[in-house]
Amino acid sequence: MCQMLYSDCDGCTWPLGGLLRGQRVSEERAELESLRALDPQAVSLVHAHYFPQLYRYARYRLGDPSAAEDVASEALVRLLEAVAAGSGPTSTLRGWLLGTAANLINDSLRRRYAKPEEGLSEEIAAEGPTPHDHAEGSEMIRAVRAGILRLTADQQHVLALRFGSEYSLEETAAILRKKTNAVKALQFRALAALRRAMEEQA
Amino acid sequence: MKPLHDALESCLSALRSGADLDACLGMYPDLAESLRPALEAAQAAMALASEEIPAAAGIRGRNTLLAKARTLSPSGRRRRMAAQAPRFAFALLAALLAVFLGGGGLLVASAAALPGDPLYGVKRTAEEVRLRLAPSSVRAGLEAIPNHADAVLVLAVDQPRPAGLTRRLRQAHETSDALITVPSFGGRHGHPTIFSRELFPEMQNIREETQGLRAVRRRQQGA
């Protein structure tokens, strides 16, 4: 169910896509260039720029704040390792990072399916729910989250990019290295599949 | 399908701008029947989005990344190479496990590890172990050991030991052909214990009724 989206994302070079050009490309190249020197200030700037995007993406797909933090951090660490090794992205930094995060999440979900966890007992979760927990715990949210997990990895990916991270159609196309029409079609199929999965849950 | 896909995109923009679903469908009456389920699913999908990013998460992530940058820098690499043991890839021994040797309950001493730390790979599995209370937690812990690790140091969680002892034990193991290295005092064996990779298959098959890892130690003493 969760095929690899970017099996070659570690150490590969992705071509530019769609509207990802001009100023944005220049910015990303500048970020990469400064990162290669492993300068603390450059590292901090890259982190400040991309950590929130990666966190939102991972939070949307996994639902778990701790796991989202781990994925976001790990993707950035892998970027640093790749850059230090002389590989990594040469231009589409955001696409590389989100692709790496997607692979980490797919791996995590595969492990989760292989070894389902038992839920915490009421006693263990004794600190009391937060308002956010109440929101998260609503039937609708649970149904959506369960429904999303039944989608294919690329369907989950496109929904997380469009609705979790709120990237535009063009940005999403650049990240996915697809044409905008292909993203529209994928998005439609993903939403139709989500709707069916939610109906089956009900 | 293209008009349908375009109409969906147009309606999504309208929804994001505050329009309601029926108003969106009103723009495409011929496609409304096909659009409605997709738009209802889109509204549900939008509800999952979370803007909230804990400040502490960002700080932890930045510190981890800066620490990684230090280790990857030329000076950091030199320090790491100097610290590496000559014989074993014992950086991998950092998969330091804390085990209740008798009971079989296992915790992985990696709670503070963050992505990029040597123990990070162990951390997530440790959390699974704690939550799932697996019947053979030793097996779960061993599964978290990276494939290239040569050995594992097992430490009783309720019997902390000074770092110097652990260091000496590791040095002793590195300079010996023994599969198990264990400290002793007054003729009695203590903790922690280092097990070589050759014993991992045997450790995977321990049972509580046969005293778990103690039995592995006894068999090696007799060998």
Side-chain angles (χ1 to χ4, degrees):
Chain A
M1 183 161 86
C2 295
Q3 74 271 27
M4 294 291 278
L5 288 171
Y6 298 108
S7 59
D8 60 343
C9 68
D10 282 337
C12 67
T13 300
W14 287 0
L16 292 181
L19 300 180
L20 187 62
R21 54 173 72 97
Q23 187 182 357
R24 168 148 196 86
V25 173
S26 302
E27 283 173 7
E28 292 201 351
R29 282 187 176 145
E31 284 172 336
L32 274 169
E33 210 49 50
S34 57
L35 206 55
R36 285 199 175 88
L38 298 171
D39 170 61
Q41 192 175 358
V43 171
S44 293
L45 284 173
V46 166
H47 180 272
H49 191 182
Y50 292 102
F51 183 86
Q53 298 181 48
L54 292 164
Y55 180 92
R56 281 194 194 94
Y57 173 84
R59 176 87 170 83
Y60 190 87
R61 287 197 59 187
L62 292 168
D64 174 3
S66 299
E69 179 184 338
D70 289 346
V71 166
S73 290
E74 180 68 13
L76 285 162
V77 164
R78 290 196 182 189
L79 170 69
L80 211 57
E81 288 173 341
V83 167
S87 55
T90 55
S91 52
T92 57
L93 182 49
R94 182 168 66 182
W96 193 97
L97 283 167
L98 285 165
T100 300
N103 278 344
L104 290 168
I105 289 167
N106 293 342
D107 289 345
S108 167
L109 292 176
R110 266 193 291 272
R111 283 195 298 274
R112 196 184 290 179
Y113 293 135
K115 297 180 184 176
E117 293 180 4
E118 291 176 11
L120 287 172
S121 73
E122 294 293 329
E123 289 178 12
I124 294 173
E127 291 182 11
T130 65
H132 186 67
D133 292 334
H134 280 303
E136 284 282 282
S138 75
E139 284 297 320
M140 194 273 280
I141 294 290
R142 269 201 294 272
V144 181
R145 205 170 283 298
I148 283 178
L149 289 176
R150 295 176 65 179
L151 306 183
T152 63
D154 55 347
Q155 288 173 344
Q156 292 182 39
H157 196 37
V158 79
L159 292 186
L161 293 172
R162 291 302 321 273
F163 302 113
S165 304
E166 297 190 355
Y167 290 126
S168 70
L169 189 65
E170 291 75 18
E171 287 173 315
T172 304
I175 291 165
L176 293 175
R177 293 184 299 159
K178 291 179 185 287
K179 293 183 175 170
T180 53
N181 282 340
V183 175
K184 285 180 190 175
L186 175 61
Q187 174 179 261
F188 186 86
R189 286 197 303 273
L191 289 172
L194 175 60
R195 172 60 188 253
R196 286 195 298 275
M198 289 171 62
E199 282 174 351
E200 286 169 14
Q201 299 275 328
Chain B
M1 291 295 276
K2 188 171 182 299
L4 183 59
H5 298 160
D6 289 341
L8 173 65
E9 190 56 32
S10 169
C11 283
L12 289 176
S13 298
L15 283 179
R16 287 197 175 103
S17 302
D20 66 30
L21 194 143
D22 287 327
C24 293
L25 293 174
M27 297 191 296
Y28 301 96
D30 295 343
L31 300 171
E33 193 179 338
S34 303
L35 276 177
R36 181 180 288 279
L39 286 173
E40 286 176 350
Q43 284 184 316
M46 287 175 187
L48 278 192
S50 169
E51 284 299 311
E52 182 190 340
I53 299 176
I59 293 168
R60 281 193 294 269
R62 190 188 60 205
N63 290 342
T64 299
L65 202 61
L66 287 170
K68 187 70 185 176
R70 281 195 295 274
T71 63
L72 290 172
S73 67
S75 59
R77 280 185 191 147
R78 279 196 296 276
R79 277 196 300 274
R80 274 190 302 146
M81 287 175 70
Q84 281 175 346
R87 185 169 166 207
F88 289 100
F90 244 106
L92 310 164
L93 182 61
L96 175 65
L97 302 183
V99 175
F100 293 106
L101 287 177
L106 178 147
L107 296 171
V108 182
S110 58
L114 292 168
D117 291 343
L119 288 176
Y120 177 70
V122 180
K123 173 186 163 188
R124 300 300 297 177
T125 301
E127 289 167 355
E128 284 183 24
V129 169
R130 280 195 290 271
L131 294 179
R132 291 169 54 220
L133 302 175
S136 180
S137 49
V138 170
R139 269 197 295 275
L142 285 172
E143 285 172 10
I145 306 294
N147 288 334
H148 47 275
D150 291 311
V152 61
L153 184 147
V154 182
L155 177 70
V157 72
D158 55 348
Q159 298 178 40
R161 292 290 184 267
L165 171 62
T166 305
R167 202 162 40 243
R168 287 200 302 279
L169 198 68
R170 172 182 149 173
Q171 287 165 351
H173 193 80
E174 287 169 354
T175 53
S176 158
D177 292 329
L179 295 180
I180 294 177
T181 304
V182 56
S184 65
F185 181 78
R188 296 189 60 188
H189 291 161
H191 300 298
T193 307
I194 293 178
F195 295 89
S196 292
R197 170 165 285 280
E198 289 88 334
L199 296 173
F200 286 6
E202 190 176 345
M203 293 166 74
Q204 291 278 10
N205 292 316
I206 59 169
R207 297 205 312 265
E208 289 184 18
E209 56 268 33
T210 54
Q211 291 195 300
L213 292 175
R214 288 180 194 277
V216 179
R217 273 172 41 172
R218 274 202 304 273
R219 276 192 290 274
Q220 284 304 313
Q221 280 179 289

